[in-house]
Amino acid sequence: MSHEATNWAIKQRGLKPTTKIVLWHLCDRFNPDYGCFPSQDRLAHDCEISRSTLNDHLGQLEAVGLLRRVPRLDPVTKRQLPTRYILGFEPGFTPVAVVPCPEIGHGEDGGAESLDGADGCGVDAAADGMPCPEFGHGNAAEAVSDISAEPCPENAESRVRISDTNPVREPLSKPVKEEEGAQARKAISDEVFGDLLAALGLDPAALPGWWQGWPPRLHVQRWRDELGLTEAEIIAAAEASREEHPEPPDGPKALDRAMQRTAQRKVEDAGWKRRKPKAAPAPAAKPITDLPAFYADLVNSDRYLPVSAISNTMRDAMLARGLVTAERLRERGVR
């Protein structure tokens, strides 16, 4: 990382935001001693864009003269290495039009390194088409591939531009079936629209402006599709509205409120039909008004009777009224 490089990137003007982000991350990967050569995967990950988008912005930076891309090959395996990016603030920076091969030293730039027995060649796309002997790419017979539209067979995987490396796909705004259903919805027929005009008391030969053309039909279609009204219910609601208002409505919007009330009543009626009837409440227990008769019935029956349930006062009241006998009381344990 070089603060001088990133500061230089920040000072550049006239770039699109994403292009400037790409330039900044390139400068962030710049090493003053070794240069800048991050892989495209690393750059795309840092900038949070796809490789194809990254290449577009790199091309824009190269076109405005802020960087120069220099391909590199391994001298032994001939496999492509990460591209060397020469940034505009580096000493000896030259535009793309006079780009030499800095890795090998070919080209017209006097500052380029030279190798014994090597012929000069440019990397510019506007060159004469002769390939670099060390790289082997180009249109001439010396190239590894003599078909310019195909990538180099030696580096087919790394030379082919990937359209998009992001495997994530944005979801559809609406399900496909729903979109197909929306397209398949039929428009309001002329017969139904004519019945609606007749229910509103409108003369088809002298329609007001708001009832002419396709907009009013689309408005009626929304009553059907969005409010859930059938065509017959729409006409019935229009007839009811006509009875309340002697004058025909100026346009379909004047009937929106009436159609909404009709749709609301339809929903409420459907809810009443689905609603289960309430069960009849259980009859309330009658209060005990005659305690001696109540306890006498308990004593004379075979139900469980606690000895402490009957007080002396209650015993005397039952005996005085002849509701129980003393013998039965003794059998039930009441003294």
Side-chain angles (χ1 to χ4, degrees):
M1 176 180 178
S2 170
H3 292 294
E4 179 183 357
T6 53
N7 289 337
W8 172 80
I10 293 173
K11 293 177 183 178
Q12 302 309 310
R13 294 291 183 267
L15 300 176
K16 294 181 179 180
T18 306
T19 308
K20 193 166 186 177
I21 289 174
V22 172
L23 179 63
W24 189 93
H25 280 289
L26 275 172
C27 293
D28 186 54
R29 294 288 175 182
F30 174 77
N31 185 295
D33 297 328
Y34 300 101
C36 178
F37 38 86
S39 66
Q40 282 204 348
D41 289 337
R42 168 59 63 183
L43 268 180
H45 178 269
D46 290 345
C47 301
E48 298 185 75
I49 56 178
S50 65
R51 287 181 58 182
S52 61
T53 305
L54 174 67
N55 281 314
D56 291 339
H57 292 290
L58 290 174
Q60 295 175 21
L61 291 171
E62 196 169 24
V64 297
L66 293 178
L67 63 84
R68 176 157 50 89
R69 290 178 287 184
V70 181
R72 302 188 303 153
L73 288 182
D74 188 288
V76 178
T77 63
K78 302 300 181 182
R79 295 189 65 84
Q80 187 171 357
L81 300 175
T83 301
R84 168 75 182 274
Y85 297 93
I86 301 178
L87 303 173
F89 65 87
E90 296 186 58
F93 173 81
T94 54
V96 178
V98 290
V99 174
C101 288
E103 295 296 324
I104 309 166
H106 305 295
E108 299 175 357
D109 188 2
E113 299 178 1
S114 62
L115 296 177
D116 295 338
D119 297 331
C121 72
V123 191
D124 183 17
D128 57 1
M130 294 298 293
C132 171
E134 298 294 331
F135 281 81
H137 301 290
N139 295 331
E142 293 84 354
V144 178
S145 173
D146 57 356
I147 303 176
S148 61
E150 296 293 332
C152 171
E154 293 288 333
N155 311 294
E157 181 178 355
S158 58
R159 298 284 290 182
V160 176
R161 173 176 174 176
I162 301 176
S163 61
D164 195 350
T165 56
N166 183 10
V168 180
R169 294 293 180 265
E170 293 295 332
L172 297 174
S173 60
K174 294 182 180 180
V176 175
K177 290 184 178 179
E178 184 177 345
E179 290 182 350
E180 292 177 351
Q183 295 174 358
R185 291 172 183 166
K186 62 178 182 179
I188 298 298
S189 64
D190 295 338
E191 181 181 358
V192 174
F193 191 71
D195 293 342
L196 176 64
L197 296 179
L200 295 173
L202 294 170
D203 184 6
L207 286 177
W210 290 108
W211 287 101
Q212 296 179 8
W214 60 267
R217 296 171 182 264
L218 186 61
H219 206 90
V220 176
Q221 184 176 345
R222 284 200 294 267
W223 294 340
R224 182 192 64 191
D225 297 338
E226 297 180 8
L227 298 182
L229 297 176
T230 64
E231 294 173 347
E233 290 171 340
I234 291 174
I235 295 175
E239 292 175 349
S241 175
R242 183 73 172 88
E243 293 177 358
E244 297 178 2
H245 304 87
E247 294 297 328
D250 295 333
K253 287 187 178 181
L255 295 173
D256 281 345
R257 191 174 297 276
M259 296 300 169
Q260 291 172 2
R261 288 196 298 265
T262 303
Q264 185 176 0
R265 285 195 298 267
K266 182 178 179 180
V267 173
E268 292 175 353
D269 293 343
W272 278 108
K273 292 179 181 178
R274 290 193 301 266
R275 197 172 302 171
K276 295 182 180 179
K278 293 183 179 179
K286 295 181 179 180
I288 302 174
T289 57
D290 192 352
L291 288 178
F294 172 77
Y295 282 108
D297 181 64
L298 188 60
V299 170
N300 293 326
S301 67
D302 294 332
R303 289 177 293 174
Y304 172 72
L305 176 66
V307 178
S308 59
I310 298 177
S311 63
N312 293 337
T313 304
M314 187 60 62
R315 179 198 59 194
D316 295 341
M318 290 189 294
L319 290 173
R321 294 175 55 180
L323 299 176
V324 296
T325 62
E327 181 180 2
R328 182 58 181 171
L329 288 173
R330 285 194 296 268
E331 290 176 359
R332 300 286 281 169
V334 179
R335 298 287 185 263

